[in-house]
Amino acid sequence: MAEITSNEQKSFAAWSQLIKDTMEGNPALQASVGPGVDGGKDPWLVLIDQLWQANPNSKIMPIDPAGMTRVFQQVWLDAMRNPARTWANYTEYVQQYTQIMTAATLKLWGLGQDSAPIIVPEKGDKRFSDEDWQKNPVFDALKQSYLLAATTMLKSASEVQRLDDKQQRKMMFYLRLFLDAISPTNTAFTNPQVIRETIQSGGQNLVTGMENLLRDVKAGKMKMT
């Protein structure tokens, strides 16, 4: 146990030194640490925004890629400023993720069927209401892995410093949009309910969905999100 702790301390010290050397050797990066979410005009973010606005589908899908990129930029810069806190969050995430994978493996072997989940959806979250998200070890592990990653990212974002209340709310809003978008319930091949409907309908549900998408693209707006 002492050896593991020693190795973690060495890794943390090496990472902290790398961050310090990077910051000291990059004046442009040092300058970018100061502004908040709305501070300054980052050329990279401006380019992302211009490319998205040039996309004909940008009016159909009202998202802000530059805003989302800015969120991750702020979280990353804050992590560089606070390596001890970031390391603690990362260590906690790895420990919980390991527990999720261990529990899923045991269930696949027919063991630990009644073990309590490491993390559960928030009250009122109906995305994972299908019984396979609880009973199927694979989908249960996928659900918990997503929820753990989302919770960890939201926690890290909530701890970002040097932002006023408006900037903090804006950052959390964009982050939640991103996390909702990457939910496994939004992908056909990771949603058990969609998989069942695809098998039962012989794929007709996917055909209908594509027809609706093409209709919305032609109309220039999404009728249902």
Side-chain angles (χ1 to χ4, degrees), residues 83-99:
R85 188 186 67 207
T86 302
W87 187 262
N89 289 340
Y90 171 75
T91 301
E92 182 180 5
Y93 168 79
V94 171
Q95 290 175 343
Q96 291 182 297
Y97 181 77
T98 302
Q99 292 174 342

Side-chain angles (χ1 to χ4, degrees), residues 170-191:
K170 188 173 182 179
M171 182 179 67
M172 296 299 291
F173 172 76
Y174 281 129
L175 181 56
R176 286 187 180 276
L177 281 181
F178 170 78
L179 292 174
D180 288 345
I182 65 172
S183 169
T185 57
N186 290 334
T187 304
F189 299 107
T190 56
N191 187 320

Side-chain angles (χ1 to χ4, degrees), residues 33-42 45 66-68 70-71 73-75 160-164 166-172 174:
V33 172
V37 173
D38 296 314
K41 288 291 185 179
D42 188 315
L45 297 179
M68 293 182 181
R70 190 179 294 110
V71 167
Q73 182 185 64
Q74 291 300 316
V75 173
V160 172
Q161 301 173 351
R162 304 187 185 185
L163 302 178
D164 58 33
K166 180 181 178 181
Q167 292 170 337
Q168 184 71 29
R169 289 195 302 270
K170 188 173 182 179
M171 182 179 67
M172 296 299 291
Y174 281 129

Side-chain angles (χ1 to χ4, degrees), residues 48-96:
I48 292 176
D49 184 62
Q50 290 175 344
L51 290 174
W52 175 246
Q53 294 302 324
N55 187 329
N57 294 325
S58 61
K59 302 298 185 295
I60 300 176
M61 295 176 284
I63 61 177
D64 183 2
M68 293 182 181
T69 303
R70 190 179 294 110
V71 167
F72 290 106
Q73 182 185 64
Q74 291 300 316
V75 173
W76 175 69
L77 291 173
D78 184 76
M80 295 182 69
R81 291 193 296 264
N82 301 278
R85 188 186 67 207
T86 302
W87 187 262
N89 289 340
Y90 171 75
T91 301
E92 182 180 5
Y93 168 79
V94 171
Q95 290 175 343
Q96 291 182 297

